[in-house]
Structures are given as C-alpha cells and as structure tokens.
Amino acid sequence: MSVGRIIETGACVAEGAAWLAAREPRFAQALELCGPPPLRRRADGFEALLSAIVSQQVSVASAAGIWARVQAAGAVTPEAVRGLDDDALRALGLSRPKVRYARALAESGFDFEALRTMPDEAAIAALDALPGIGRWTAEVYLLTSLGRADVFAPGDLALQEAARLLFGLEARPAEKDFAAMARAWSPWRGVAARLLWAYYRAMKNREGMI
C-alpha cells in the first residue's frame, strides 16, 4: 500500500470539507457555523511527538503550560532530554510516567523520516510500539504532523462529544462505534476530525486539542 492523500494547505481542507458537506447535511451545518476548519499542521519529528506525549490525559490549557516550560528549557531534542535527569523533567511538569516515555523516546533512535512513507496503519503500528504512545497519540500525530487525509481518532473525547452534539446522539459514541461511523467519511476522515474539533470549540468555547 502507498501513502494516500496528504493535507498540505488550507485548500486541501476546504476540498475535503466541501466533499463532506455535500454528503452529510450535519457537516454542512457545522461548516456554516464554524467556517473553514483550521489546517492544523505542524512539523513532524521528535519535538512533535514529545509534544503529543505532554498533551496526553491533561487539559489543553495544562498541556500548553507544560509544553511552554519544556520549550523554554530547550528539552525538545533527544540529546537535550537525555541530558536532563528525572527530577529536572519532573520540574517542567511531566508526570513520572511521562518522564519515562520521554526518556524512552529520546533513547529509541526512532526513524521519523521512514514514517513519512509508511501507509497509515503501518505508521500507527510503528508509533504504537513506542512506550507511552497509544493509538490515540499515533492517530493525532498522523493527522497533524503527517497530514494524512483519511486518518481519524475515534478515541478522542472532544471528537466524541462534538459528534454527540452535532448528530444528536444520546451519549458520546464508543470508540469502536465511532470508528465505524467515520468510515462513511472516507477518504476525508482527517478533515471530518478538523470539522468536529472546530464544532467542539464553537459549542464549548474551548479547544478540544492543543
């Protein structure tokens, strides 16, 4: 399998949003309310994945604060992380498990360049094999750092809540059910995620991801 469509620019997002809106009236409603969803692209590599680790299981505001301290300390390269002891990393706001994950990543020698040419599921599996990198973190990395147009993150609570609101569901969809629901949005599941994050922000007045 080859790598599919990559979201490079706002025009790519707009193309995907138009496709979704034409096929699902609720996405058309979300697009009308929120306007074009953000590109949500960032550089790939060690720093981006470390940022994703920092963001796990904390609020967007908390993650932003911790990440600002990590950046200020220059702890954004494998060499810099290896040069800090556990107490220094803890002082930046990392929990004990996240200190272990950051150190494991810094010592892994992970080939981020090779990841760019892997098919979606192979890339997710490669990331998931790293300590502390679960499927959600891997999917968000593919969405934001690799720009994969057809990747979704059904375990994301903000996406689940946005879908509950937008589709009038009684409760947040379970991850397995949400993944099945999202199949109808292929090949633009990555844009569906961006639309739902934008809708979450509009309805809750707060970001669902950093």
Side-chain angles (χ1 to χ4, degrees):
M1 291 180 65
S2 61
V3 174
R5 179 73 180 267
I6 302 296
I7 295 173
E8 300 278 8
T9 67
C12 300
V13 177
E15 180 186 345
W19 187 94
L20 291 163
R23 286 158 179 79
E24 172 50 67
R26 293 175 182 85
F27 279 131
Q29 294 168 16
L31 193 59
E32 185 176 351
L33 173 68
C34 304
L39 178 59
R40 292 192 185 277
R41 279 300 308 269
R42 62 176 68 176
D44 65 337
F46 178 85
E47 183 173 350
L49 193 55
L50 182 62
S51 174
I53 290 173
V54 167
S55 300
Q56 292 173 348
Q57 298 179 323
V58 296
S59 71
V60 171
S62 294
I66 296 168
W67 184 242
R69 291 195 292 275
V70 170
Q71 288 180 307
V76 294
T77 65
E79 298 76 17
V81 171
R82 291 197 298 266
L84 295 173
D85 62 24
D86 288 1
D87 287 341
L89 291 171
R90 289 271 291 146
L92 298 177
L94 273 66
S95 64
R96 292 187 189 280
K98 288 182 182 179
V99 167
R100 291 199 304 273
Y101 303 153
R103 198 169 296 290
L105 179 62
E107 295 170 353
S108 68
F110 190 79
D111 189 345
F112 287 98
E113 187 171 345
L115 204 66
R116 296 174 185 170
T117 57
M118 290 184 187
D120 295 341
E121 282 301 323
I124 289 169
L127 289 166
D128 195 20
L130 292 167
I133 307 296
R135 187 173 180 91
W136 174 83
T137 302
E139 288 165 341
V140 170
Y141 182 89
L142 262 68
L143 276 162
T144 59
S145 291
L146 297 183
R148 301 297 176 90
D150 201 30
V151 170
F152 197 67
D156 187 272
L157 295 181
L159 292 181
Q160 292 174 3
E161 177 64 8
R164 183 189 72 80
L165 294 169
L166 183 59
F167 289 87
L169 306 177
E170 290 186 3
R172 293 176 183 170
E175 183 173 353
K176 184 178 179 181
D177 297 334
F178 201 18
M181 180 181 180
R183 290 190 193 111
W185 308 332
S186 180
W188 288 107
R189 283 176 285 190
V191 176
R194 286 163 170 81
L195 259 174
L196 288 169
W197 274 318
Y199 188 74
Y200 180 90
R201 185 181 189 279
M203 299 302 289
K204 298 288 189 176
N205 198 30
R206 65 175 185 265
E207 287 285 355
M209 69 170 292
I210 193 169

